[in-house]
Amino acid sequence: MLENYLPVLLFMIVGLTVGVVMIVLGFVLAPSRPDSEKLSPYECGFEAFEDSRMKFDVRYYLVAILFIIFDLEIAFLFPWGVVLEDIGLFGYVAMAIFLGILVIGFIYEWKKGALEWE
């Protein structure tokens, strides 16, 4: 019974070995020329000037949420497009309703100015 798991064990061993070898080769072969520019903290394209725990504007979070919403829309569209012939009219109407709700939300955000950056 255990011989059925031998290919899985070999796959895990080979995968771990390849991963470790690649990391070690990166450390051994990569050039290491640290200087003050490379070792300095980098934050959003400008020098850090305040505490790292400072409060961010809420617009950063709103843009992130909007991105997640429209990214999830695409995640639902790909499987739907693959099985569209199998699910028929019911699936088409369900996705049309889903997209309609998202379009209404997009128009609402656009009118409220959530997509504008000052």
Side-chain angles (χ1 to χ4, degrees):
M1 187 80 172
L2 288 176
E3 62 268 2
N4 292 338
Y5 292 104
L6 183 63
V8 175
L9 180 65
L10 288 175
F11 181 76
M12 290 174 59
I13 290 172
V14 169
L16 287 172
T17 304
V18 168
V20 169
V21 166
M22 293 298 166
I23 290 173
V24 169
L25 282 176
F27 279 115
V28 171
L29 299 177
S32 177
R33 294 187 285 279
D35 60 6
S36 62
E37 281 289 317
K38 289 182 181 178
L39 297 177
S40 67
Y42 180 78
E43 182 179 334
C44 301
F46 53 86
E47 291 293 323
F49 56 87
E50 288 187 25
D51 184 25
S52 63
R53 291 175 184 87
M54 69 181 200
K55 292 185 179 182
F56 282 95
D57 192 359
V58 72
R59 289 180 290 180
Y60 290 112
Y61 301 111
L62 290 175
V63 169
I65 290 171
L66 292 175
F67 174 77
I68 289 172
I69 289 172
F70 293 111
D71 192 42
L72 285 176
E73 173 187 356
I74 298 301
F76 284 125
L77 281 176
F78 279 121
W80 172 77
V82 170
V83 296
L84 181 59
E85 292 179 359
D86 298 333
I87 57 178
L89 184 62
F90 175 76
Y92 184 78
V93 171
M95 189 53 74
I97 292 170
F98 174 71
L99 290 175
I101 292 171
L102 283 175
V103 167
I104 290 170
F106 179 70
I107 292 170
Y108 175 78
E109 292 164 0
W110 196 346
K111 294 291 184 185
K112 288 291 185 178
L115 303 175
E116 299 294 326
W117 197 263
E118 298 170 2

